[in-house]
Amino acid sequence: MNDKILLAHGSGGKLAHDLITKNFITALDNEILIRMDDAAVFTASGRMAFTTDSYVVSPIFFPGGDIGRLAVCGTINDLSTSGAKPFYLSLAFIIEEGFAINDLQQIIASIKTTADEAGVKIVTGDTKVVNRGCADKIFINTAGIGVIPDGVNISGSNAQPGDKVIITGTIGDHGIAVLSQREGLGFTTQLKSDVAPLGKMVAHMLEVSRNIHSLRDPTRGGLASTLNELAQQSEVSIRIEENKIPVRDEVNGGCEMLGLDPLYVANEGKMVVIVVPEDARGVLKALQQNVYGKNAAIIGEVITGRPGRVVMKTTLGSSRIIDMLVGEPLPRIC
Amino acid sequence: MNDKILLAHGSGGKLAHDLITKNFITALDNEILIRMDDAAVFTASGRMAFTTDSYVVSPIFFPGGDIGRLAVCGTINDLSTSGAKPFYLSLAFIIEEGFAINDLQQIIASIKTTADEAGVKIVTGDTKVVNRGCADKIFINTAGIGVIPDGVNISGSNAQPGDKVIITGTIGDHGIAVLSQREGLGFTTQLKSDVAPLGKMVAHMLEVSRNIHSLRDPTRGGLASTLNELAQQSEVSIRIEENKIPVRDEVNGGCEMLGLDPLYVANEGKMVVIVVPEDARGVLKALQQNVYGKNAAIIGEVITGRPGRVVMKTTLGSSRIIDMLVGEPLPRIC
């Protein structure tokens, strides 16, 4: 019985206490978490960023990552979209009774590795266990806190006509890697999820330019939905060029087999950057020096035109309207 | 189809966008949330408290509350255990496909009412939808941020021999109210959950005494487990008196029928207060002036003795060791 999660592991009693002290506190070791109070306490000042996401990806282990790495990266990247330096994360599990403790330990180890890579600390947490059949294996929520450097003012509302649009690398890797694993398809044995913490890459961009207007990570809904959101929020049009968008052959192949468009497939290690034109080259160069930005490309620009409209010049030379995702071709991708 | 949650409501696309703007942003209306960026931005400084909890209570509507009110109160109360004034909450839903949108709207309305009562703002959020059968109706995670007033230093590690132990009201109300509803038992028609936000009551206590050593809300595992945690963290013994602990007749009755001990039943609107003896009467009086503290009582004291031991003098005059909860008699109580 010791190798499975029991309802009592979520009871607030002895087993819960043991699980937390032996597995979580030890593995995630830091001076704030170890106090074991109900709230973490730290000192901070200035403009803070605060965000949350729940992670329900299936399968929980996939090529290039797992739900633990995803849960750290997703929230770090959301903080980074405000230009914030990420500092602290909370970590909350909802676990199905019977879940293997070995798998939980592997997920926690992955959380620790990713948090260390990103320079963030897990400072508070929670564990709930639900009866068998009331959840699918494990769901994770993280919330995050970061501090925004002075002079940085980044928002989805700030894009202006003339700005350049950059994508920090190939699109669709995460979605197709997860789908490939889930469906047991063999076509993408080389493909890995791009799941990565982008805080340091964003900090590097901000050293190069203080004129970045918008940042957003194109997760659910993909690049197309993110560009639509930004165009709506900023009340501008965006024009992109299909032949400038980096897409791996495996992703194109997978999308063809599955009837998907890479523009709508989730990414977990990419950022859309909207920046004044005079800084675009410098930001691109900075990105390309970063391990997670080496395939970055300028893919279009912000233009005047109908607010919220995204247009793509196709490889054939025609133009087509790129709408927001409708429906859900890829449930539980993150 | 419009009255049920679809997978596409969690897709990051058009339906997700509509759900968020029409239901969440409008209902939870505040100037930070409405920016619709991935991270909320606010200015703060000083010692901050940060905490998280996921809520998986079943049933989601119960006498005296619902999962929405619970999700706001639970996290506010965890912030309050550090003496922090709660300011901002995140709000993340995991929803089962097919969940009634009416129920979701009712939950959001309850969240708004409770947040307003407590003076906190919901500033960032997330919605995931999983396939039918992959979650039980709806799970909510909230994380919270508060600011700790100068000179306040409260921790589960600070209890000292001689300190008085206060409980802020009757114990076991939440657990028995939820169980009664879940099991369709008729014995407790009068009983309501005590679920309540305690931030203002804690602030009132701190006006009266800056010598509160420990605060903790006795949720899962009940009063017994919380006292054990505090005794362990502070490396002290705690002695309580059974006949001083306020318990409603309905809770005693329900516990007898179900073979439970009220000491181990969850509360969602109570606080254990450990305070220097000279301030105990003043704190008690302040509590009793508060709507959520009117049944507050001094139930015991911190003593030297084996670290981590909790002893209760029973109504019969004998002493018994009160252990931490073992096992899980009440899954999904919060």
Side-chain angles (χ1 to χ4, degrees):
Chain A
M1 289 295 275
N2 277 335
D3 57 347
K4 300 284 183 194
I5 289 288
L6 309 175
L7 283 172
H9 281 115
S11 66
K14 224 181 197 72
L15 267 180
H17 194 260
D18 287 354
L19 180 75
I20 290 165
T21 48
K22 286 187 194 148
N23 287 284
F24 300 171
I25 306 285
T26 313
L28 300 172
D29 172 47
N30 66 66
E31 73 286 359
I32 300 177
L33 187 63
I34 209 163
R35 296 185 66 206
M36 290 203 62
D37 281 326
D38 282 352
V41 175
F42 55 85
T43 302
S45 76
R47 279 187 310 147
M48 323 259 299
F50 178 36
T51 193
T52 189
D53 261 333
S54 293
Y55 301 87
V56 299
V57 66
S58 171
I60 55 175
F61 299 102
F62 48 80
D66 58 77
I67 191 171
R69 181 167 173 83
L70 184 65
V72 174
C73 294
T75 294
I76 284 176
N77 295 347
D78 278 350
L79 288 174
S80 299
T81 62
S82 67
K85 177 171 161 50
F87 276 98
Y88 301 116
L89 295 188
S90 65
L91 173 65
F93 293 104
I94 297 173
I95 309 177
E96 184 185 15
E97 181 189 11
F99 188 73
I101 290 182
N102 274 349
D103 284 349
L104 183 60
Q105 286 168 334
Q106 197 177 328
I107 289 166
I108 293 168
S110 172
I111 286 170
K112 171 68 173 162
T113 304
T114 311
D116 284 351
E117 179 192 344
V120 301
K121 285 177 181 164
I122 312 291
V123 295
T124 188
D126 179 50
T127 306
K128 294 290 190 306
V129 180
V130 298
N131 311 66
R132 218 176 277 264
C134 289
D136 185 15
K137 297 186 183 72
I138 187 167
F139 301 144
I140 301 181
N141 177 283
T142 52
I145 296 178
V147 176
I148 301 174
D150 285 341
V152 170
N153 178 23
I154 294 172
S155 166
S157 310
N158 292 356
Q160 287 174 20
D163 288 350
K164 294 294 180 188
V165 178
I166 297 173
I167 181 78
T168 62
T170 55
I171 64 168
D173 301 17
H174 175 74
I176 298 300
V178 170
L179 260 192
S180 146
Q181 174 84 353
R182 189 195 302 172
E183 310 295 338
L185 304 176
F187 61 83
T188 54
T189 44
Q190 305 303 311
L191 185 66
K192 287 184 176 167
S193 164
D194 59 345
V195 57
L198 302 180
K200 291 181 180 175
M201 187 173 80
V202 167
H204 191 188
M205 273 196 279
L206 289 172
E207 281 167 22
V208 171
S209 170
R210 286 291 161 113
N211 299 305
I212 292 169
H213 286 156
S214 305
L215 287 172
R216 187 152 300 170
D217 52 334
T219 56
R220 286 178 290 175
L223 178 62
S225 298
T226 294
L227 292 174
N228 269 274
E229 281 172 28
L230 295 172
Q232 282 176 26
Q233 260 185 272
S234 294
E235 301 182 356
V236 294
S237 285
I238 291 176
R239 183 172 55 204
I240 57 173
E241 295 184 48
E242 187 171 19
N243 64 13
K244 295 196 173 159
I245 301 171
V247 190
R248 290 184 199 280
D249 289 343
E250 302 94 309
V251 170
N252 269 326
C255 281
E256 256 175 53
M257 281 185 62
L258 295 160
L260 297 171
D261 181 338
L263 285 174
Y264 294 91
V265 177
N267 310 276
E268 290 292 346
K270 297 293 153 37
M271 204 57 90
V272 173
V273 185
I274 295 187
V275 58
V276 296
E278 50 277 27
D279 287 5
R281 285 277 142 208
V283 166
L284 186 68
K285 212 167 151 187
L287 284 169
Q288 288 168 342
Q289 287 162 11
N290 191 290
V291 61
Y292 296 129
K294 52 185 191 293
N295 297 313
I298 298 174
I299 60 169
E301 57 194 342
V302 179
I303 56 176
T304 53
R306 214 184 67 195
R309 175 141 75 177
V310 179
V311 185
M312 183 170 78
K313 188 178 158 202
T314 69
T315 46
L316 302 173
S318 61
S319 282
R320 76 174 169 102
I321 303 275
I322 302 297
D323 263 333
M324 200 171 253
L325 176 70
V326 179
E328 173 51 301
L330 304 174
R332 300 187 61 192
I333 213 71
C334 62
Chain B
M1 289 297 275
N2 277 334
D3 57 346
K4 300 284 183 194
I5 288 289
L6 309 176
L7 283 172
H9 282 116
S11 67
K14 224 181 198 76
L15 268 180
H17 195 260
D18 287 355
L19 180 75
I20 291 166
T21 50
K22 285 186 196 148
N23 287 284
F24 299 170
I25 306 285
T26 312
L28 300 172
D29 173 46
N30 66 65
E31 73 286 357
I32 300 176
L33 188 63
I34 209 163
R35 295 185 67 204
M36 291 203 59
D37 280 327
D38 282 351
V41 175
F42 54 86
T43 302
S45 74
R47 277 186 311 146
M48 324 260 299
F50 179 36
T51 191
T52 190
D53 260 333
S54 293
Y55 300 87
V56 299
V57 66
S58 173
I60 55 175
F61 300 101
F62 49 80
D66 58 76
I67 192 171
R69 181 168 172 84
L70 184 65
V72 174
C73 295
T75 294
I76 285 175
N77 295 348
D78 278 350
L79 289 174
S80 299
T81 62
S82 67
K85 177 171 162 48
F87 276 99
Y88 300 117
L89 295 188
S90 64
L91 173 64
F93 294 104
I94 296 173
I95 310 177
E96 184 185 14
E97 181 189 11
F99 188 72
I101 290 182
N102 275 349
D103 285 349
L104 183 60
Q105 286 168 334
Q106 198 177 328
I107 289 166
I108 292 168
S110 172
I111 286 170
K112 170 68 173 163
T113 304
T114 311
D116 284 351
E117 180 192 345
V120 303
K121 286 178 180 162
I122 313 291
V123 294
T124 189
D126 179 50
T127 306
K128 293 291 192 304
V129 180
V130 298
N131 311 67
R132 219 177 276 264
C134 289
D136 186 14
K137 296 186 184 71
I138 188 167
F139 301 143
I140 301 181
N141 176 284
T142 52
I145 296 178
V147 176
I148 302 174
D150 286 341
V152 170
N153 179 23
I154 294 172
S155 165
S157 310
N158 292 355
Q160 286 174 19
D163 287 351
K164 294 295 180 187
V165 178
I166 297 173
I167 181 78
T168 62
T170 56
I171 64 168
D173 301 18
H174 175 75
I176 298 301
V178 170
L179 259 192
S180 148
Q181 174 84 354
R182 190 194 301 173
E183 310 294 339
L185 305 176
F187 61 84
T188 53
T189 45
Q190 305 304 311
L191 186 65
K192 287 183 175 166
S193 164
D194 59 345
V195 57
L198 302 179
K200 291 179 181 176
M201 186 173 82
V202 168
H204 191 188
M205 272 196 281
L206 289 172
E207 282 166 22
V208 171
S209 171
R210 286 290 162 114
N211 298 305
I212 292 170
H213 286 157
S214 306
L215 288 172
R216 187 152 300 171
D217 52 335
T219 57
R220 285 178 289 177
L223 177 62
S225 298
T226 295
L227 292 175
N228 269 275
E229 281 172 28
L230 295 172
Q232 282 176 24
Q233 260 184 271
S234 293
E235 301 183 355
V236 294
S237 285
I238 291 176
R239 183 173 55 204
I240 57 174
E241 295 183 47
E242 187 171 20
N243 64 12
K244 297 198 172 156
I245 301 171
V247 190
R248 290 184 199 281
D249 289 343
E250 302 95 309
V251 170
N252 270 325
C255 281
E256 255 176 53
M257 282 185 60
L258 295 160
L260 297 171
D261 181 338
L263 285 174
Y264 293 91
V265 177
N267 310 276
E268 290 293 344
K270 298 294 153 35
M271 205 57 90
V272 172
V273 185
I274 295 187
V275 58
V276 296
E278 50 276 27
D279 287 4
R281 284 279 144 208
V283 166
L284 186 68
K285 213 168 151 187
L287 284 169
Q288 288 168 343
Q289 288 163 12
N290 190 290
V291 62
Y292 297 130
K294 52 184 190 295
N295 297 313
I298 297 173
I299 59 169
E301 57 193 343
V302 180
I303 56 175
T304 52
R306 214 184 66 195
R309 176 142 74 175
V310 179
V311 184
M312 182 169 79
K313 189 179 157 200
T314 70
T315 46
L316 302 173
S318 62
S319 283
R320 77 174 169 102
I321 303 274
I322 303 297
D323 264 332
M324 200 170 252
L325 176 69
V326 180
E328 172 52 300
L330 303 174
R332 299 186 61 191
I333 212 70
C334 63

